[in-house]
């Protein structure tokens, strides 16, 4: 079965705190692709990052970083020094190789309080 | 401006009255897809299309139809809408050259079926 689990339904932090959003995936494919998308309160969906299953390098982009671990089937997202503008729903998604079907998680709502 | 457009943005209708939600992109993307977003369920893929005249089912295709007669357009058709199709719908597109490509999402269509 192909599945993405985002167990954290909602997280609240105070501004400047660090926060990690968890993403655990299931797939039997050895080749697959992982993504994170952001949905701010305005409602649009914005691409953040993609990773393929052969690339386990972690990535950092400004205050954002991603930790991909095949051993635990996880692709976690960390925001350092969170800001109010980071408040959004964040979705993790999986695309197994050989298919163009996307499987999204249920999302994590992040609230950053001033 | 590169974008995905959806119309209408909001629609209230009654059970059984056929409707079409249009989706158009101006980025010459081969891949287009429809999702529905429901509270607690995240995004679920309804149908996708890898090119003109090529469509396939996502995870929740029941009650929906699509067509891809032109590269830029991918309408979603509800032949006989029911209240359980009340949802927020998103259209998305991406280059097909690799499944690794990010998706660009439309602004969403909020549908209410009474």
């Amino acid at each position: 079965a192909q599945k993405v689990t985002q167990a954290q339904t909602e997280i609240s932090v105070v501004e400047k705190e660090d926060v990690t959003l968890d993403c655990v995936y299931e797939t039997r494919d050895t080749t697959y692709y992982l993504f994170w998308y952001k949905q701010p309160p305005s409602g649009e969906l914005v691409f953040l990052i993609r990773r393929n299953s052969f690339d386990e390098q972690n990535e950092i982009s400004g205050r954002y970083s991603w930790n991909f671990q095949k051993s635990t089937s996880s692709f976690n997202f960390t925001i350092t020094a969170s800001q109010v503008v980071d408040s959004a729903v964040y979705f993790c998604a999986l695309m197994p190789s050989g298919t163009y079907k996307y499987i999204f998680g249920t999302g994590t709502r992040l609230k950053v309080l001033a | 401006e590169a974008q995905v457009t959806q119309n209408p943005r909001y629609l209230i209708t009654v059970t059984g009255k056929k409707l079409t939600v249009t989706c158009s992109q101006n980025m010459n993307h081969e891949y287009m897809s429809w999702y529905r977003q429901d509270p607690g369920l995240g995004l679920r893929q309804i149908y996708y299309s890898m090119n003109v005249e090529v469509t396939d089912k996502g995870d929740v295709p029941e009650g929906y139809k699509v067509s891809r007669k032109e590269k830029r357009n991918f309408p979603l058709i509800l032949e006989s809408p029911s209240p359980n199709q009340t949802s927020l719908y998103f259209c998305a597109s991406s280059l097909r050259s690799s499944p690794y490509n990010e998706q660009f999402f439309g602004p969403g269509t909020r549908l209410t079926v009474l």
Side-chain angles (χ1 to χ4, degrees):
Chain A
Q2 328 265 24
K3 188 178 178 182
V4 174
T5 300
Q6 294 181 256
Q8 304 153 307
T9 304
E10 185 168 313
I11 302 174
S12 291
V13 298
V14 176
E15 208 170 18
K16 298 184 183 173
E17 283 185 7
D18 298 347
V19 58
T20 295
L21 309 183
D22 298 333
C23 173
V24 174
Y25 61 91
E26 293 177 33
T27 180
R28 289 200 181 96
D29 294 291
T30 55
T31 303
Y32 50 88
Y33 306 89
L34 296 164
F35 305 81
W36 276 94
Y37 284 84
K38 174 182 180 180
Q39 186 178 41
S42 52
E44 75 273 22
L45 283 146
V46 179
F47 166 81
L48 293 177
I49 191 172
R50 59 183 169 234
R51 186 56 95 223
N52 72 50
S53 52
F54 297 112
D55 182 3
E56 284 194 77
Q57 274 194 329
N58 292 329
E59 180 151 339
I60 298 175
S61 176
R63 297 184 296 105
Y64 294 174
S65 63
W66 290 269
N67 182 1
F68 176 32
Q69 291 196 331
K70 286 178 75 170
S71 60
T72 56
S73 297
S74 65
F75 185 41
N76 297 338
F77 172 30
T78 297
I79 302 174
T80 303
S82 59
Q83 299 177 2
V84 172
V85 293
D86 296 325
S87 297
V89 180
Y90 292 86
F91 291 99
C92 181
L94 164 72
M95 175 189 269
S97 175
T99 172
Y100 282 81
K101 292 178 78 166
Y102 282 87
I103 300 126
F104 278 79
T106 52
T108 296
R109 181 179 299 277
L110 173 65
K111 293 184 178 179
V112 181
L113 308 171
Chain B
E1 180 190 354
Q3 59 183 346
V4 178
T5 57
Q6 295 178 226
N7 282 292
R9 295 288 313 279
Y10 302 90
L11 179 60
I12 300 175
T13 190
V14 296
T15 299
K17 185 176 181 182
K18 181 179 178 180
L19 66 93
T20 299
V21 183
T22 64
C23 173
S24 182
Q25 49 91 7
N26 62 2
M27 295 170 278
N28 203 35
H29 286 169
E30 291 91 351
Y31 182 88
M32 297 186 75
S33 182
W34 276 103
Y35 298 88
R36 60 178 289 174
Q37 182 178 5
D38 302 289
L41 297 176
L43 285 157
R44 294 179 292 168
Q45 193 170 35
I46 303 170
Y47 272 96
Y48 62 95
S49 168
M50 290 193 285
N51 215 325
V52 175
E53 303 292 1
V54 181
T55 63
D56 208 345
K57 297 177 180 178
D59 284 336
V60 288
E62 297 79 20
Y64 304 94
K65 284 176 59 177
V66 292
S67 68
R68 188 91 182 274
K69 293 183 170 28
E70 304 168 283
K71 196 172 187 179
R72 63 182 293 127
N73 296 323
F74 190 43
L76 180 69
I77 303 157
L78 285 72
E79 296 266 3
S80 183
S82 62
N84 65 11
Q85 292 178 298
T86 292
S87 187
L88 178 59
Y89 291 87
F90 287 99
C91 180
S93 73
S94 68
L95 286 171
R96 189 199 161 192
S97 55
S98 163
Y100 205 38
N101 288 303
E102 66 182 274
Q103 290 187 91
F104 293 83
F105 283 83
T109 294
R110 187 166 292 281
L111 173 65
T112 301
V113 183
L114 302 175

